[in-house]
């Protein structure tokens, strides 16, 4: 059984990718709504919350866990050894995917904590040469938790906010944008419409690919929500 966690609905974008890749595997999803959002908290708090999510999932029977939260993934190296061993973080796979398609200018939008950690910048520069610009767009997390998604048109207020938050990305002339928070792929279509020609990378998708690559797809195909 594979466990997946996030602070809320963001990780559902990873669950959807994983389900598509692994139709038979049993999965268990934990949304830590009680402590959301993670992106405005300090490192120690995010670390403690992540460890408790991992423990809950492992106790329920998850043998492998996808950290479907970029904010929590930035702290993977600080997890206890046991927790580290069974978890897959999603920053590195996203950075590799961005390098595969980028011509050299990569932008990242993410939570306040993820941007403060510079985890994407570090990872991108360790993969190869590129220019990196990181922007905190924490407001998009609340927007998605409030129900905004590609399934319906944005209100004019939501459109205005999204456009304002993406303005620095447009100005940076990045050719590739990492949607560095798993909530953001829920707005992928709206973001693509505002940034035509820019490659969009989803850590949810890349993380799901990473775990699928090393796991046999077998089981009853059940999804349980904790
Ligand atoms: N979806 C999460 C992430 O990828 C957390 C968002 C939040 O709770 O602030 O960073």
């Amino acid at each position: 059984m594979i466990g997946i966690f996030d602070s809320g609905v963001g990780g559902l974008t990873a669950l959807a990718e994983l389900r598509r890749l692994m139709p038979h595997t049993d999965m268990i999803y934990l949304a830590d709504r009680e402590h959301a959002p993670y992106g405005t908290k300090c490192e120690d708090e995010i670390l403690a919350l992540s460890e408790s999510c991992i423990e809950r999932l492992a106790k329920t029977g998850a043998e492998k866990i996808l950290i479907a939260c970029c904010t929590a993934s930035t702290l993977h190296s600080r997890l206890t050894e046991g927790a580290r061993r069974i978890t897959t973080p999603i920053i590195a796979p996203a950075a590799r995917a961005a390098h595969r398609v980028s011509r050299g200018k990569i932008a990242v939008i993410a939570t306040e904590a993820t941007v403060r950690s510079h985890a994407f910048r570090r990872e991108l520069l360790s993969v190869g040469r590129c220019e990196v610009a990181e922007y905190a767009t924490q407001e998009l997390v609340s927007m998605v938790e409030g129900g905004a998604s590609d399934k319906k048109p944005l209100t004019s207020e939501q459109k205005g906010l999204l456009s304002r938050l993406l303005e620095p990305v447009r100005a940076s002339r990045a050719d590739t944008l990492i949607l560095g928070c798993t909530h953001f792929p829920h707005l992928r279509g709206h973001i693509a419409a505002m940034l035509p020609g820019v490659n969009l990378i989803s850590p949810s998708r890349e993380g799901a690919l990473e775990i699928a690559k090393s796991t046999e797809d077998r089981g009853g195909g059940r999804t349980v929500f904790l």
Side-chain angles (χ1 to χ4, degrees):
M1 178 149 68
I2 295 183
I4 299 159
F5 77 90
D6 179 45
S7 64
V9 298
L12 294 176
T13 59
L15 174 66
E17 298 284 356
L18 201 55
R19 178 50 77 211
R20 206 174 42 76
L21 295 163
M22 307 185 75
H24 304 297
T25 302
D26 292 322
M27 298 179 192
I28 177 163
Y29 186 84
L30 169 59
D32 187 16
R33 289 229 165 72
E34 199 188 323
H35 301 104
Y38 279 12
T40 54
K41 296 187 165 50
C42 70
E43 284 198 359
D44 287 348
E45 232 174 322
I46 299 162
L47 190 63
L49 292 171
S50 305
E51 274 173 349
S52 124
C53 288
I54 294 163
E55 200 181 313
R56 270 176 77 189
L57 287 168
K59 270 198 184 132
T60 321
E63 291 123 10
K64 286 190 179 188
I65 295 170
L66 179 62
I67 306 184
C69 171
C70 293
T71 309
S73 291
T74 65
L75 296 167
H76 186 249
S77 63
R78 288 188 55 197
L79 289 171
T80 59
E81 205 205 318
R84 233 180 14 244
R85 203 166 350 101
I86 56 167
T87 48
T88 301
I90 60 177
I91 306 283
R96 289 195 295 271
H99 264 285
R100 281 198 295 275
V101 297
S102 175
R103 293 185 303 281
K105 275 195 171 188
I106 302 173
V108 181
I109 52 172
T111 63
E112 286 166 12
T114 298
V115 168
R116 210 170 44 232
S117 76
H118 296 300
F120 274 110
R121 173 185 298 278
R122 261 198 317 279
E123 203 60 51
L124 284 162
L125 295 177
S126 80
V127 180
R129 265 176 54 160
C130 61
E131 270 179 51
V132 185
E134 298 168 294
Y135 305 102
T137 59
Q138 184 71 42
E139 296 94 322
L140 295 183
V141 175
S142 335
M143 195 161 125
V144 169
E145 287 291 339
S149 84
D150 280 345
K151 293 192 183 124
K152 51 187 183 197
L154 296 176
T155 62
S156 58
E157 200 184 321
Q158 290 168 335
K159 219 179 199 163
L161 176 61
L162 184 60
S163 170
R164 182 171 64 71
L165 292 172
L166 292 179
E167 187 44 44
V169 177
R170 215 175 289 131
S172 76
R173 296 185 172 277
D175 60 76
T176 299
L177 172 66
I178 298 181
L179 306 178
C181 165
T182 54
H183 280 70
F184 303 166
H186 284 296
L187 300 172
R188 188 188 181 107
H190 296 301
I191 294 171
M194 288 186 186
L195 296 172
V198 174
N199 303 306
L200 299 183
I201 301 295
S202 159
S204 301
R205 179 177 164 69
E206 303 307 325
L209 283 166
E210 184 83 0
I211 215 164
K213 184 156 90 178
S214 62
T215 316
E216 201 187 329
D217 179 30
R218 63 185 162 84
R222 282 177 297 267
T223 305
V224 174
F225 292 88
L226 270 192

